[in-house]
Amino acid sequence: MGSRVAASAALIGVLSAVTSCTAVYDAERHEGLGAGYCESVATIYCEAVQDCCAVPPSLEDCIPALQAECGDFAEAAADPRLGFTTELALEALARLEMLAADCNPQAYDLAVGQGVAYVIPGTKDEGEICTPDDQGDGLALLQCLDGLACLPSSATELSCSRAPLPGPGEECPLFVCRDDSYCNTGATPKLCEAKRENGEPCAHRIQCLSNVCVVPRTGGDAQCAPLNELSAFCFVG
C-alpha cells in the first residue's frame, strides 16, 4: 500500500482550514462526502490529542492542521473510479476512534497516513485501463486496487500493473515509487529519492521511512522520527 499512499499524498492538494468541531460523520450534510470524512478524522484525532499529550495544541490549531493533511479530498471522494463509500468511511472512523481512545500511536497512521488510501481503495484490477481523460485528470492514477499502480502499457495508454516501480534516482512521472522511496515532485524531471532515516531532516512525512516528520523536543528544524505516543499525539520527536 505504501506506493499508493505516496501517490495519494502527491496528487491530493491541501484543503482550506475549517474549524468546526462536529465529530459525527453525516454524508448527506457534505457535498461529495469527502469534506465530512476529513472533518470527522480531524475532530476525533484532535480530541484524543487533548488526552494523550501532556501539553497538547489547542483544538483550534489541531483540527485545521489535520484537515490539511487529509487534503482536498472532496473531489476524490466524489469520483466513482476511486471507490469511496459511506461504509468504508464509517469503518475507518470506528477504528480510528478505538485506537485514539487508547492513545495508540497507530491512530496517527490511520489519520494522516494510510487512512486516505484505505477509503479510496480504487476500483480497477490488473490489466484494466487507467488512462487519464486529460492532463488535469490526476485522480485517474488512483483508480487501481491495492498492490497495483497505474503505469504505461503502450505508447498511448496506462493500465493497472504489478510491474516493478522506480526506485531512488529513477524518474517518477506518474508520482509512484518503490516503498523505500518517494517521488520528489519539485525536481525536474520528477525523481524518486530514498526515504530518510530517523534523525535526518525532512519537510514532509512522505520523505521518512517512519512516515513521521516532526520538530525535536529540543527545538530546531523538523526531522524524521519514530512513531510513538509522543510523536503521534504531541507532534514532537
Side-chain angles (χ1 to χ4, degrees):
M1 182 178 285
S3 59
R4 198 171 189 283
V5 172
S8 301
L11 288 167
I12 298 178
V14 175
L15 180 69
S16 298
V18 179
T19 57
S20 170
C21 295
T22 304
V24 177
Y25 176 70
D26 181 354
E28 294 182 357
R29 190 164 63 87
H30 300 279
E31 182 180 357
L33 305 178
Y37 177 73
C38 290
E39 179 183 346
S40 296
V41 166
T43 304
I44 291 168
Y45 195 79
C46 289
E47 286 179 348
V49 164
Q50 306 306 303
D51 296 326
C52 300
C53 180
V55 187
S58 68
L59 285 174
E60 290 73 18
D61 289 335
C62 182
I63 288 175
L66 261 290
Q67 282 191 275
E69 282 283 352
C70 198
D72 188 8
F73 188 68
E75 183 181 357
D79 191 325
R81 299 173 299 177
L82 274 57
F84 181 90
T85 67
T86 299
E87 290 74 23
L88 278 176
L90 291 173
E91 183 179 322
L93 291 173
R95 177 162 174 74
L96 176 62
E97 279 192 299
M98 179 184 69
L99 292 171
D102 291 337
C103 298
N104 187 323
Q106 295 305 315
Y108 177 87
D109 194 38
L110 189 57
V112 303
Q114 67 173 325
V116 170
Y118 178 81
V119 295
I120 50 170
T123 58
K124 294 195 174 181
D125 211 336
E126 187 172 9
E128 293 191 82
I129 300 300
C130 54
T131 307
D133 293 335
D134 52 51
Q135 287 188 337
D137 186 23
L139 292 178
L141 303 178
L142 300 178
Q143 295 180 77
C144 302
L145 295 169
D146 188 28
L148 303 172
C150 187
L151 298 172
S153 54
S154 72
T156 59
E157 286 192 332
L158 307 179
S159 64
C160 298
S161 172
R162 298 185 190 278
L165 297 176
E170 297 179 291
E171 293 186 22
C172 50
L174 299 177
F175 302 96
V176 290
C177 300
R178 292 190 330 222
D179 285 350
D180 64 350
S181 52
Y182 70 97
C183 185
N184 181 354
T185 58
T188 304
K190 295 186 286 289
L191 290 174
C192 295
E193 294 188 5
K195 289 185 178 180
R196 302 169 188 180
E197 300 282 351
N198 292 337
E200 293 190 84
C202 55
H204 192 277
R205 56 184 173 76
I206 65 169
Q207 298 175 323
C208 302
L209 285 167
S210 64
N211 196 39
V212 177
C213 177
V214 293
V215 174
R217 279 172 288 180
T218 54
D221 296 331
Q223 61 185 30
C224 298
L227 178 62
N228 53 37
E229 192 170 322
L230 186 64
S231 62
F233 294 103
C234 296
F235 309 113
V236 295

